[in-house]
Amino acid sequence: MDDVISPADHHAAPGKEQQAAGVGILLQIMMLVLSFVLGHVLRRHKFYYLPEASASLLIGLIVGGLANISNTETSIRTWFNFHEEFFFLFLLPPIIFQSGFSLSPKPFFSNFGAIVTFAILGTFIAAVVTGVLVYLGGVFYLTYKLPFAECLMFGALISATDPVTVLSIFQELGTDVNLYALVFGESVLNDAMAISLYRTMALVRSNASSGQSFFMLVLHFLETFLGSMSAGVGVGFTSALLFKYAGLGVDNLQNLECCLVVLFPYFSYMLAEGIGLSGIVSILFTGIVMKQYTFSNLSENSQRFVSAFFHLISSLAETFVFIYMGFDIAMEQHSWSHIGFIFFSIIFIIVARAANIFSCAYLVNLVRPQHRKIPMKHQKALWYGGLRGAMAFALALQSVHDLPDGHGQTIFTATTAIVVLTVLLIGGSTGTMLEALEVVGDDHDTPLSTNIEETNQYIAPSYDYEDESSSSGNRIKMKLKEFHKSAASFTALDKNYLTPFFTINNGEEDDDDFDEPMPSSRRGGFYDRT
C-alpha cells in the first residue's frame, strides 16, 4: 500500500524540484547583480580597501552563512554546491581563453623570457618549496603530517595565483607597462602550470609503489604541457586559415562567422581533454594565437562582437566564480582540528612566493641590460600580488576526492582559509602597499590604455655584448642572453612569415596590432573602451 503513488504526488515532486531550481537560480542572479553594482560603486568612489573580487567573495560568504544557519531547503542549497567539474568545464575555459585573447603582444613578448621564468620555473620552485616545508613541518610535529607526495600536491595547487585585485588597481592608478605585463603574463601561464604540476604530483603519488623513475615523471609532465600547447596552437592556426580563405566576412554570413569563432575555443579545450592532455593549457594558447592571427581575418562587425562577447562571458564567469566559491566555503564541512597546519601553511607559501620571485628575478636580471633590470620595488610588488583564488580552491576541492583518510579535507580547509585571507585581507591592503612601494600613483600618471609607444615607459629589448669579454667565464649568463635574444628572432619570424601566411594583412598592420592597450584586468576584456 505504501508503494502506491497517486498521480497528484507523481506530478508534485517534479514541480517541487523545478520550483527549487528557480529559487536557486534567482538567488544566483540577484547576487551577480549585487556584485556588479557594488563593484561599480566601489570603483567609482575609488574605494580600494574592498576590491570587486573581494566584494563578490564576501557576498557569497554572507549569503552562504545565512543559508547555512537558516532552514533553507536542501533542494535549493544543492544549486550552490561547488562542483569542480562544472568549474573546469564551463566557468574556467572562458576565463582562461580571455586571458590569452586579451594579451597585448608588444609588452608580453618583449618580456616573454621573464614571464616564462616566473610562470614555469617560479611556479615549480614555489610548489617544491611549499611541499618540502609542509613535509618538514610534519616531521618536526609543527603541522599535521602528510606523505611527501601529498605535500607536493598541496604545494602545486596552492601555487596557483589569481592577482585580479592587483591588476584592477594597476589599471585604476596607472603603473609601468612592463610590471603590468609581468604580473598579467605570469598569472596567465601560472594556472596552466599549476594544473599540470598537480596532475603530475598526483601521478607521483599513485605510482609511488611502482617505482616509476623521476625521469619518466618529468617526461610525462613535458609531454602533457608541450602536447597541450601544440594542440592549442594548432587549433588557433587552423581557425586563422579558415577565416582567411572561407570568405565569411560578407553581410549575410557574419552570423556564421561569429558562431564559428565562439566554437573554436571550446573545440580546442575538449580536443585536449579528449586525448588526455590539459584543456586549460590548450585553450590558453588558442586564445593567444587567435588574437594574433585569426582576429585580423574577421570582418569589423565580427571583431567588435567577438571582443565584446568574450569579455562579457569572462566577466560573468569570473564574478560568478567568486560568489560561487564564497557560498560554498560557508556551506562546506571543514576540518578545523588542524589549526597549526593552516597557520604554518600560510607562512610557508609566503616564504615559497619569495623564493619564487626573488630567485627568478635574479636570473632574469643576469641577462638584461642595466636599464631593463627588474627593480626591487617591482619584485616586491610581484611577491605581494600572489593572491590565491578560484584555481587553488577548485584543485583543493578535487583533492578531497583524490586523497584518502581526511588528508584531502585538511588540505581543502587550509586552502579555503588561505584564499579568504589573501582575497579579503591582502587584497584589501594591496592599494596601500603598492602606493607605499611607489609602483602606482602619481609617478605613473599615464594610463595603461594609452598607446604604449607614447608612454615612453616601454623600452624595447637591446642586447649589448661589449662587456662580455670581462665575464667570458660566465657561460650560464651567455646562454641566458642567447635565449633572451631569441624573442627578437621570433618577432622577425612572425612578421616575415607567420603573419603573411596566416592573415590577410600580410604584416602591414603588425606594428599597429602590437600597439594595442593592456587589458583592463587579468580576466577583463580587451577592446576599445573609448
Side-chain angles (χ1 to χ4, degrees):
M1 193 71 177
D2 293 335
D3 296 333
V4 178
I5 301 176
S6 66
D9 293 335
H10 179 76
H11 293 288
K16 191 71 172 178
E17 292 179 1
Q18 186 175 3
Q19 182 183 9
V23 174
I25 295 174
L26 175 62
L27 289 175
Q28 293 173 357
I29 294 175
M30 290 173 63
M31 288 191 288
L32 276 172
V33 171
L34 178 61
S35 179
F36 280 117
V37 172
L38 181 59
H40 171 71
V41 172
L42 292 173
R43 286 195 305 272
R44 185 173 182 179
H45 292 84
K46 298 182 179 181
F47 187 79
Y48 303 120
Y49 297 103
L50 186 64
E52 187 174 356
S54 303
S56 300
L57 181 67
L58 195 59
I59 290 172
L61 284 170
I62 293 173
V63 176
L66 293 175
N68 204 22
I69 62 176
S70 66
N71 293 324
T72 305
E73 294 185 24
T74 304
S75 56
I76 296 177
R77 293 166 62 174
T78 54
W79 280 88
F80 292 92
N81 291 338
F82 193 101
H83 299 286
E84 56 270 24
E85 295 87 359
F86 178 68
F87 172 77
F88 282 111
L89 291 177
F90 297 103
L91 294 180
L92 191 59
I95 295 174
I96 296 297
F97 176 80
Q98 177 66 11
S99 295
F101 194 75
S102 64
L103 282 177
S104 187
K106 192 168 198 174
F108 178 80
F109 285 108
S110 68
N111 291 282
F112 186 72
I115 290 171
V116 170
T117 303
F118 284 117
I120 296 182
L121 177 61
T123 303
F124 179 79
I125 291 173
V128 172
V129 170
T130 302
V132 170
L133 289 178
V134 170
Y135 179 75
L136 292 177
V139 170
F140 291 102
Y141 302 103
L142 295 175
T143 66
Y144 181 65
K145 188 174 182 180
L146 294 174
F148 185 61
E150 295 179 10
C151 292
L152 291 177
M153 290 176 66
F154 175 64
L157 69 89
I158 206 64
S159 297
T161 61
D162 190 4
V164 61
T165 297
V166 180
L167 293 173
S168 64
I169 294 176
F170 279 177
Q171 178 67 21
E172 293 292 331
L173 300 182
T175 189
D176 181 83
V177 293
N178 290 310
L179 174 60
Y180 192 102
L182 288 176
V183 177
F184 184 86
E186 184 212 1
S187 67
V188 166
L189 297 178
N190 172 271
D191 282 351
M193 180 67 180
I195 291 176
S196 299
L197 270 179
Y198 177 84
R199 292 179 177 176
T200 302
M201 297 307 177
L203 188 65
V204 170
R205 176 185 173 275
S206 62
N207 293 322
S209 58
S210 64
Q212 187 173 11
S213 66
F214 177 76
F215 173 76
M216 293 301 297
L217 292 171
V218 173
L219 187 63
H220 173 77
F221 169 77
L222 292 176
E223 178 185 358
T224 301
F225 193 87
L226 296 178
S228 304
M229 181 179 68
S230 301
V233 171
V235 171
F237 280 142
T238 302
S239 69
L241 290 175
L242 172 66
F243 291 105
K244 179 179 180 180
Y245 294 110
L248 300 176
V250 296
D251 291 338
N252 60 334
L253 292 178
Q254 285 184 3
N255 286 339
L256 175 61
E257 185 180 44
C258 293
C259 290
L260 289 175
V261 174
V262 170
L263 290 175
F264 264 101
Y266 254 109
F267 175 79
S268 171
Y269 184 89
M270 295 304 174
L271 173 66
E273 290 292 328
I275 60 178
L277 299 176
S278 172
I280 296 301
V281 178
S282 179
I283 199 172
L284 168 64
F285 283 94
T286 298
I288 295 174
V289 173
M290 288 185 68
K291 177 62 179 181
Q292 183 72 1
Y293 302 103
T294 307
F295 188 77
S296 61
N297 294 335
L298 304 177
S299 63
E300 291 185 6
N301 289 337
S302 296
Q303 287 181 353
R304 287 193 293 268
F305 169 80
V306 166
S307 296
F309 177 80
F310 286 138
H311 171 260
L312 170 65
I313 297 300
S314 176
S315 298
L316 284 172
E318 179 189 7
T319 304
F320 184 71
V321 162
F322 278 98
I323 294 173
Y324 196 31
M325 186 168 56
F327 194 95
D328 194 72
I329 287 173
M331 300 288 290
E332 282 284 343
Q333 297 294 324
H334 297 282
S335 176
W336 298 107
S337 58
H338 304 292
I339 300 297
F341 183 87
I342 299 173
F343 174 77
F344 282 102
S345 293
I346 294 172
I347 297 176
F348 293 157
I349 66 168
I350 293 174
V351 174
R353 179 70 179 173
N356 167 0
I357 296 301
F358 297 118
S359 62
C360 290
Y362 175 77
L363 292 176
V364 171
N365 285 339
L366 281 178
V367 303
R368 285 192 168 190
Q370 186 63 38
H371 62 279
R372 294 201 73 240
K373 292 185 184 297
I374 304 174
M376 181 55 65
K377 62 182 182 180
H378 287 188
Q379 296 178 37
K380 292 177 180 178
L382 283 165
W383 169 71
Y384 197 80
L387 310 181
R388 270 59 178 180
M391 179 63 69
F393 181 81
L395 290 175
L397 193 59
Q398 185 173 325
S399 72
V400 175
H401 307 294
D402 294 341
L403 302 179
D405 303 327
H407 293 180
Q409 192 67 43
T410 300
I411 288 176
F412 175 67
T413 301
T415 304
T416 296
I418 292 168
V419 168
V420 173
L421 176 69
T422 56
V423 173
L424 293 182
L425 298 184
I426 298 180
S429 62
T430 296
T432 303
M433 174 59 69
L434 295 179
E435 288 179 341
L437 292 174
E438 298 180 347
V439 297
V440 295
D442 296 335
D443 293 337
H444 307 280
D445 53 3
T446 303
L448 287 172
S449 58
T450 307
N451 185 292
I452 293 174
E453 288 290 345
E454 297 174 355
T455 64
N456 294 322
Q457 293 175 338
Y458 169 78
I459 302 174
S462 61
Y463 308 97
D464 184 6
Y465 294 99
E466 295 179 357
D467 297 331
E468 286 180 3
S469 59
S470 62
S471 59
S472 58
N474 195 341
R475 296 182 180 179
I476 296 178
K477 185 174 181 178
M478 290 286 293
K479 293 292 184 182
L480 291 174
K481 277 182 176 290
E482 292 175 5
F483 174 76
H484 193 77
K485 188 177 180 180
S486 65
S489 301
F490 175 78
T491 301
L493 173 68
D494 172 65
K495 185 173 183 179
N496 295 328
Y497 299 100
L498 296 180
T499 297
F501 183 77
F502 288 105
T503 67
I504 59 177
N505 58 34
N506 293 322
E508 292 91 348
E509 299 176 6
D510 183 70
D511 293 336
D512 295 334
D513 292 340
F514 267 53
D515 289 337
E516 291 176 347
M518 292 298 293
S520 61
S521 72
R522 182 207 176 199
R523 313 296 195 191
F526 183 67
Y527 60 97
D528 190 2
R529 296 173 181 270
T530 58

